[in-house]
């Protein structure tokens, strides 16, 4: 079955710390990869996405993600987090085979001021 | 644009009652998605439409669930009869022409509680 896993359920960091959130997906042929974010009290919104080309993708608010095909991974990174990055982060995969869209379970990030 | 609009924002009902959730997608978007979010199962795709036509409803959990999209600006998700295990947040999302490969714009969700 097509599935997406995220390494951490809850991450707590201090401001200015570096962030890396892990995401792995099950093999399923051609995929497109996404990170969505849900800030407290707000809608889910797109952070960044990967379709093809340069495996290092830059998104909004200083976030980036790296696609490593051999590891079926798409980890999210930010060199220096801010309190305003406190949110829940969801990795998601569009599997072309079966035309399915699968979300990971989410990682809650708490940034301490 | 006002974004994706969902109503109601909160719904509390008793087991056995019919529940109808509503969604207005962003104007001009061709795709509409319904998701359910629970603590146990996370975000699950229930069904999606392209140009008002249901494309894949394999995520709909049971026959008690049904969804319609009578026109480009309105969709409903109905649960009849409702059960306590249906308690969840239900999200509607829409996207432009490319469906899954396009950015999905999510509504605020409807928090459903079935007593």
């Amino acid at each position: 079955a097509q599935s997406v896993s995220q390494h951490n359920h809850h991450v707590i960091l201090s401001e200015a710390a570096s962030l890396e959130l892990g995401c792995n997906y099950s093999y399923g042929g051609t995929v497109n990869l996404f990170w969505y974010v849900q800030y407290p009290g707000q809608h889910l919104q797109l952070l960044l996405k990967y379709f093809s080309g340069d495996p290092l993708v830059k998104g909004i608010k200083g976030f980036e993600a790296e696609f490593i095909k051999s590891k079926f991974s798409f980890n999210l990174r930010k060199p220096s987090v801010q309190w305003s990055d406190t949110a829940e982060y969801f990795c998601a995969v569009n599997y072309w085979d079966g035309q399915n869209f699968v979300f990971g379970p989410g990682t809650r990030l708490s940034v301490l001021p | 644009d006002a974004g994706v609009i969902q109503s109601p924002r909160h719904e509390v009902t008793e087991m056995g009652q019919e529940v109808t959730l509503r969604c207005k997608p962003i104007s001009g978007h061709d795709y509409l998605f319904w998701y359910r979010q629970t603590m146990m199962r996370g975000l699950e795709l229930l069904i999606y439409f392209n140009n008002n036509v249901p494309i894949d409803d394999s995520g709909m959990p049971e026959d008690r669930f049904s969804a319609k999209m009578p026109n480009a600006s309105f969709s409903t998700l109905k649960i009849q009869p409702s059960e306590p295990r249906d308690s969840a947040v239900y999200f509607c999302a829409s996207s432009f022409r490319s469906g899954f490969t396009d950015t999905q714009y999510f509504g605020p969700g409807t928090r459903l509680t079935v007593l």
Side-chain angles (χ1 to χ4, degrees), chain B residues 69-80:
Chain B
M69 192 165 185
N71 57 60
S73 58
F74 184 64
S75 177
T76 60
L77 178 67
K78 187 177 292 186
I79 309 172
Q80 166 62 15

PDB file of all heavy atoms in Angstrom, chain B residues 69-80:
ATOM      1  N   MET B  69     -21.581  16.898  -6.280  1.00  0.00           N
ATOM      2  CA  MET B  69     -21.148  18.220  -6.736  1.00  0.00           C
ATOM      3  C   MET B  69     -22.086  18.632  -7.870  1.00  0.00           C
ATOM      4  O   MET B  69     -21.791  18.391  -9.040  1.00  0.00           O
ATOM      5  CB  MET B  69     -19.694  18.192  -7.192  1.00  0.00           C
ATOM      6  CG  MET B  69     -19.127  19.573  -7.397  1.00  0.00           C
ATOM      7  SD  MET B  69     -17.336  19.563  -7.514  1.00  0.00           S
ATOM      8  CE  MET B  69     -17.016  21.324  -7.586  1.00  0.00           C
ATOM      9  N   PRO B  70     -23.212  19.232  -7.511  1.00  0.00           N
ATOM     10  CA  PRO B  70     -24.231  19.550  -8.520  1.00  0.00           C
ATOM     11  C   PRO B  70     -23.812  20.631  -9.500  1.00  0.00           C
ATOM     12  O   PRO B  70     -24.333  20.695 -10.623  1.00  0.00           O
ATOM     13  CB  PRO B  70     -25.429  20.002  -7.676  1.00  0.00           C
ATOM     14  CG  PRO B  70     -24.852  20.402  -6.367  1.00  0.00           C
ATOM     15  CD  PRO B  70     -23.645  19.545  -6.152  1.00  0.00           C
ATOM     16  N   ASN B  71     -22.865  21.477  -9.081  1.00  0.00           N
ATOM     17  CA  ASN B  71     -22.357  22.500  -9.992  1.00  0.00           C
ATOM     18  C   ASN B  71     -20.931  22.866  -9.583  1.00  0.00           C
ATOM     19  O   ASN B  71     -20.434  22.390  -8.557  1.00  0.00           O
ATOM     20  CB  ASN B  71     -23.281  23.725 -10.012  1.00  0.00           C
ATOM     21  CG  ASN B  71     -23.473  24.327  -8.640  1.00  0.00           C
ATOM     22  OD1 ASN B  71     -22.505  24.749  -8.007  1.00  0.00           O
ATOM     23  ND2 ASN B  71     -24.715  24.348  -8.168  1.00  0.00           N
ATOM     24  N   ALA B  72     -20.323  23.738 -10.350  1.00  0.00           N
ATOM     25  CA  ALA B  72     -18.903  24.050 -10.154  1.00  0.00           C
ATOM     26  C   ALA B  72     -18.620  24.815  -8.872  1.00  0.00           C
ATOM     27  O   ALA B  72     -17.469  24.961  -8.479  1.00  0.00           O
ATOM     28  CB  ALA B  72     -18.384  24.843 -11.353  1.00  0.00           C
ATOM     29  N   SER B  73     -19.661  25.307  -8.233  1.00  0.00           N
ATOM     30  CA  SER B  73     -19.421  26.156  -7.069  1.00  0.00           C
ATOM     31  C   SER B  73     -19.956  25.568  -5.770  1.00  0.00           C
ATOM     32  O   SER B  73     -20.027  26.263  -4.752  1.00  0.00           O
ATOM     33  CB  SER B  73     -20.034  27.543  -7.287  1.00  0.00           C
ATOM     34  OG  SER B  73     -21.405  27.430  -7.526  1.00  0.00           O
ATOM     35  N   PHE B  74     -20.295  24.288  -5.775  1.00  0.00           N
ATOM     36  CA  PHE B  74     -20.906  23.735  -4.568  1.00  0.00           C
ATOM     37  C   PHE B  74     -20.744  22.221  -4.515  1.00  0.00           C
ATOM     38  O   PHE B  74     -20.985  21.516  -5.499  1.00  0.00           O
ATOM     39  CB  PHE B  74     -22.396  24.098  -4.542  1.00  0.00           C
ATOM     40  CG  PHE B  74     -23.119  23.658  -3.302  1.00  0.00           C
ATOM     41  CD1 PHE B  74     -22.785  24.173  -2.064  1.00  0.00           C
ATOM     42  CD2 PHE B  74     -24.152  22.727  -3.383  1.00  0.00           C
ATOM     43  CE1 PHE B  74     -23.468  23.779  -0.923  1.00  0.00           C
ATOM     44  CE2 PHE B  74     -24.834  22.326  -2.235  1.00  0.00           C
ATOM     45  CZ  PHE B  74     -24.496  22.853  -1.010  1.00  0.00           C
ATOM     46  N   SER B  75     -20.391  21.750  -3.333  1.00  0.00           N
ATOM     47  CA  SER B  75     -20.304  20.303  -3.112  1.00  0.00           C
ATOM     48  C   SER B  75     -20.794  19.984  -1.707  1.00  0.00           C
ATOM     49  O   SER B  75     -20.678  20.817  -0.798  1.00  0.00           O
ATOM     50  CB  SER B  75     -18.866  19.815  -3.268  1.00  0.00           C
ATOM     51  OG  SER B  75     -18.763  18.433  -2.981  1.00  0.00           O
ATOM     52  N   THR B  76     -21.352  18.796  -1.546  1.00  0.00           N
ATOM     53  CA  THR B  76     -21.784  18.337  -0.225  1.00  0.00           C
ATOM     54  C   THR B  76     -21.200  16.971   0.076  1.00  0.00           C
ATOM     55  O   THR B  76     -20.979  16.158  -0.817  1.00  0.00           O
ATOM     56  CB  THR B  76     -23.316  18.240  -0.136  1.00  0.00           C
ATOM     57  OG1 THR B  76     -23.772  17.319  -1.127  1.00  0.00           O
ATOM     58  CG2 THR B  76     -23.967  19.585  -0.325  1.00  0.00           C
ATOM     59  N   LEU B  77     -20.961  16.762   1.352  1.00  0.00           N
ATOM     60  CA  LEU B  77     -20.578  15.452   1.865  1.00  0.00           C
ATOM     61  C   LEU B  77     -21.625  15.089   2.918  1.00  0.00           C
ATOM     62  O   LEU B  77     -21.821  15.841   3.873  1.00  0.00           O
ATOM     63  CB  LEU B  77     -19.190  15.491   2.493  1.00  0.00           C
ATOM     64  CG  LEU B  77     -18.671  14.183   3.113  1.00  0.00           C
ATOM     65  CD1 LEU B  77     -18.437  13.127   2.033  1.00  0.00           C
ATOM     66  CD2 LEU B  77     -17.367  14.441   3.879  1.00  0.00           C
ATOM     67  N   LYS B  78     -22.286  13.962   2.696  1.00  0.00           N
ATOM     68  CA  LYS B  78     -23.386  13.586   3.575  1.00  0.00           C
ATOM     69  C   LYS B  78     -23.052  12.287   4.289  1.00  0.00           C
ATOM     70  O   LYS B  78     -22.483  11.355   3.685  1.00  0.00           O
ATOM     71  CB  LYS B  78     -24.667  13.431   2.762  1.00  0.00           C
ATOM     72  CG  LYS B  78     -25.920  13.207   3.572  1.00  0.00           C
ATOM     73  CD  LYS B  78     -27.155  13.147   2.683  1.00  0.00           C
ATOM     74  CE  LYS B  78     -27.449  14.493   2.069  1.00  0.00           C
ATOM     75  NZ  LYS B  78     -28.739  14.494   1.322  1.00  0.00           N
ATOM     76  N   ILE B  79     -23.408  12.233   5.551  1.00  0.00           N
ATOM     77  CA  ILE B  79     -23.259  11.009   6.336  1.00  0.00           C
ATOM     78  C   ILE B  79     -24.645  10.655   6.877  1.00  0.00           C
ATOM     79  O   ILE B  79     -25.272  11.457   7.576  1.00  0.00           O
ATOM     80  CB  ILE B  79     -22.272  11.189   7.513  1.00  0.00           C
ATOM     81  CG1 ILE B  79     -20.949  11.784   7.034  1.00  0.00           C
ATOM     82  CG2 ILE B  79     -22.019   9.827   8.183  1.00  0.00           C
ATOM     83  CD1 ILE B  79     -19.996  12.167   8.156  1.00  0.00           C
ATOM     84  N   GLN B  80     -25.105   9.474   6.530  1.00  0.00           N
ATOM     85  CA  GLN B  80     -26.442   9.048   6.948  1.00  0.00           C
ATOM     86  C   GLN B  80     -26.500   7.534   7.076  1.00  0.00           C
ATOM     87  O   GLN B  80     -26.348   6.838   6.072  1.00  0.00           O
ATOM     88  CB  GLN B  80     -27.486   9.529   5.940  1.00  0.00           C
ATOM     89  CG  GLN B  80     -28.869   8.910   6.044  1.00  0.00           C
ATOM     90  CD  GLN B  80     -29.575   9.192   7.365  1.00  0.00           C
ATOM     91  OE1 GLN B  80     -29.174  10.060   8.117  1.00  0.00           O
ATOM     92  NE2 GLN B  80     -30.624   8.443   7.650  1.00  0.00           N
TER      93      GLN B  80
END
